[in-house]
Amino acid sequence: MNAPVYIVDGLRTPFLKARNQPGPFAASDLATIAGSALLARQPFLPAQLDEVILGCASPSPDEVNIGRVVALRMGCGRKVPGWTVMRNCASGMQALDSAIANIQAGRSQLVLAGGVDALSRAPLLFSDAMVRWLSGWYAAKGVGQRAKLLARFRPAMLAPVIGIMKGLTDPVVGQLMGQTAENLAYRFGISRNDMDAFAARSHQRVAAARDAGHFDGELTPLIEDDGTLHRFDDGVRDDSSAEGLAKLKPFFDKRYGRVTAGNSSQITDGAAWLVLASEAAVKRFGLTPRGRISDSQWAGLPPEQMGLGPVHAATPILQRHGLALNDLDAWEINEAFAAQVLACLRAWADDAYCRDELGLAEALGRLDESRLNVDGGAIAQGHPVGASGARIVLHLLQVMERSGGRRGIAAICIGGGQGGAMLVERP
């Protein structure tokens, strides 16, 4: 990257677990609450932003360009452009990368960028058969035509299509995301015990970090209309254990599988934002940068192996900067599935994979897991798809500030067979 792009500040909502019904907040509510709280503590006015960029994988039909809706609701005024990006699980990271591109091109100086999703509100859809029947019904003329249509109606046509299941199924290979995790578990010999131990550790680390106040600086509370207060991510199980998780049945491959609801990320609602600024904006507004995004990379790979996206995206960054895996002080790899993160670690340590898939002479080695997701991750906190890419960049910065680290990488796998990664440095 050329001109530096600074992270000035960041904030997110608690992530709220979907509980088989619409959650208390729409996506625009979540983004507005977090964004307004973040902007309220800045020395500039919302109307002084050059643009607002919001990643969202599943906006509601009345908020398709949710970035613009939220910008107006936050008081940015009519002259500040607001727009929406979508790159599945990395939508929030794509918003950051789009902001970086515009800042480096000189089109913007000060940008609010992040991501949001309210997956509990993913729609239930009519089947194609029902849609065709309804089309005929509304086009019918007279009692006779409608009587014929009634004779062709079948109650089964009313069975809803679950929108989130459609969204989590790759249309090219016809596999749910959890089935792609099963592919990686088989390829790298990852056992059920390996997955459950990793998942339990995620819960344990999040609970410990919460109790130690490590999330306080990045969270703004949510308050429901009835006064219910949400201060923290509510999907965390303090009593989680590998033994308890072992009791759950496989979800995606019920006969031979190893991936369960317990060792997968949770379906969740949440939003995360970062303020990004050019050097000129830092000087103009007297800002104090917390860090900078020094490099980013996107990669493609087979959709059925999509969980290895962090390997393909982060490796070129390491090569460009002459870094080994453990030269980084901290890593955040989004925990879509325990099998997926473990597969990334095994791929980097595998000579054949690094040679055949990454074009390297030998394996990169073993990543020190004490540097990885030190405060847990999406298995415990949840994965509101549009927000996660921004969350891991924000929390990576939080971890390095706490530990005194200088450099870290945030990486994420992306449905459809892609990966994204960002190198973050502290001043």
Side-chain angles (χ1 to χ4, degrees):
M1 291 188 172
N2 299 316
V5 176
Y6 296 102
I7 302 173
V8 173
D9 204 354
L11 201 63
R12 70 175 179 93
T13 68
F15 287 179
L16 305 184
K17 184 177 180 179
R19 289 179 163 82
N20 298 318
Q21 62 181 349
F25 302 96
S28 64
D29 296 331
L30 296 164
T32 300
I33 291 166
S36 296
L38 177 58
L39 291 173
R41 66 190 195 191
Q42 305 309 315
F44 54 83
L45 297 173
Q48 290 177 300
L49 289 166
D50 291 306
E51 59 183 334
V52 173
I53 310 173
L54 186 58
C56 187
S58 184
S60 65
D62 60 335
E63 298 172 349
V64 175
N65 186 9
I66 189 172
R68 175 62 169 171
V69 174
V70 172
L72 291 171
R73 288 184 63 186
M74 292 187 300
C76 296
R78 297 178 181 179
K79 293 184 179 181
V80 176
W83 53 291
T84 308
V85 297
M86 197 289 209
R87 197 194 279 256
N88 279 345
C89 312
S91 296
M93 186 177 283
Q94 178 62 65
L96 301 179
D97 205 37
S98 297
I100 291 167
N102 282 353
I103 290 172
Q104 292 186 328
R107 292 187 289 265
S108 294
Q109 301 293 328
L110 187 64
V111 182
L112 181 66
V116 68
D117 258 313
L119 297 182
S120 71
R121 296 192 174 207
L124 296 177
L125 309 171
F126 283 126
S127 66
D128 288 347
M130 188 65 201
V131 171
R132 284 191 293 268
W133 189 89
L134 285 169
S135 296
W137 178 263
Y138 289 120
K141 297 178 181 179
V143 175
Q145 289 185 10
R146 290 191 172 180
K148 291 179 180 179
L149 282 166
L150 286 172
R152 292 202 296 265
F153 178 79
R154 298 291 181 271
M157 292 161 61
L158 287 171
V161 176
I162 301 172
I164 196 163
M165 294 298 284
K166 295 277 284 185
L168 295 176
T169 301
D170 187 283
V172 176
V173 296
Q175 292 186 338
L176 281 161
M177 296 298 100
Q179 291 169 315
T180 71
E182 291 281 14
N183 296 341
L184 299 184
Y186 177 79
R187 180 172 186 174
F188 290 96
I190 301 168
S191 71
R192 171 69 185 273
N193 186 62
D194 292 336
M195 299 180 202
D196 290 342
F198 184 93
R201 187 178 71 181
S202 182
H203 283 273
Q204 292 158 7
R205 286 185 171 185
V206 172
R210 178 201 62 207
D211 294 345
H214 293 166
F215 297 120
D216 292 354
E218 70 182 54
L219 283 171
T220 188
L222 293 169
I223 303 174
E224 296 184 38
D225 290 340
D226 65 2
T228 301
L229 173 67
H230 301 276
R231 290 184 57 213
F232 301 106
D233 309 313
D234 71 355
V236 184
R237 293 285 300 270
D238 290 41
D239 61 349
S240 182
S241 67
E243 294 75 20
L245 291 170
K247 299 175 183 178
L248 299 177
K249 294 182 179 180
F251 184 82
F252 301 97
D253 181 347
K254 299 185 185 302
R255 185 170 185 180
Y256 300 109
R258 301 168 226 179
V259 178
T260 70
N263 56 43
S264 306
S265 59
Q266 303 171 30
I267 296 172
T268 315
D269 302 347
W273 289 105
L274 286 87
V275 176
L276 301 183
S278 68
E279 198 156 12
V282 167
K283 292 177 181 178
R284 176 187 174 191
F285 295 106
L287 306 175
T288 302
R290 294 173 58 185
R292 69 175 188 167
I293 299 175
S294 302
D295 204 351
S296 63
Q297 180 69 46
W298 302 99
L301 66 157
E304 66 274 14
Q305 304 279 311
M306 72 93 196
L308 294 169
V311 172
H312 289 256
T315 299
I317 294 178
L318 296 174
Q319 291 178 299
R320 281 197 291 270
H321 295 266
L323 297 169
L325 287 170
N326 294 316
D327 288 339
L328 282 300
D329 299 299
W331 282 83
E332 287 287 325
I333 297 179
N334 190 56
E335 297 173 357
F337 304 92
Q340 165 260 320
V341 180
L342 292 170
C344 288
L345 302 185
R346 297 191 185 189
W348 270 319
D350 186 270
D351 282 320
Y353 192 89
C354 288
R355 181 183 63 249
D356 299 339
E357 305 293 344
L358 302 176
L360 304 178
E362 59 185 359
L364 284 181
R366 297 193 178 277
L367 193 156
D368 178 359
E369 292 189 49
S370 68
R371 303 168 190 250
L372 171 65
N373 297 2
V374 299
D375 293 328
I379 288 174
Q381 293 172 297
H383 179 20
V385 174
S388 294
R391 181 198 73 80
I392 60 174
V393 172
L394 173 59
H395 193 66
L396 176 67
L397 183 60
Q398 292 271 113
V399 169
M400 292 194 294
E401 287 175 334
R402 184 175 81 234
S403 65
R406 178 170 167 255
R407 291 180 300 202
I409 285 181
I412 192 165
C413 64
I414 306 168
Q418 297 185 82
M422 286 185 165
L423 175 65
V424 178
E425 295 184 306
R426 291 181 61 236

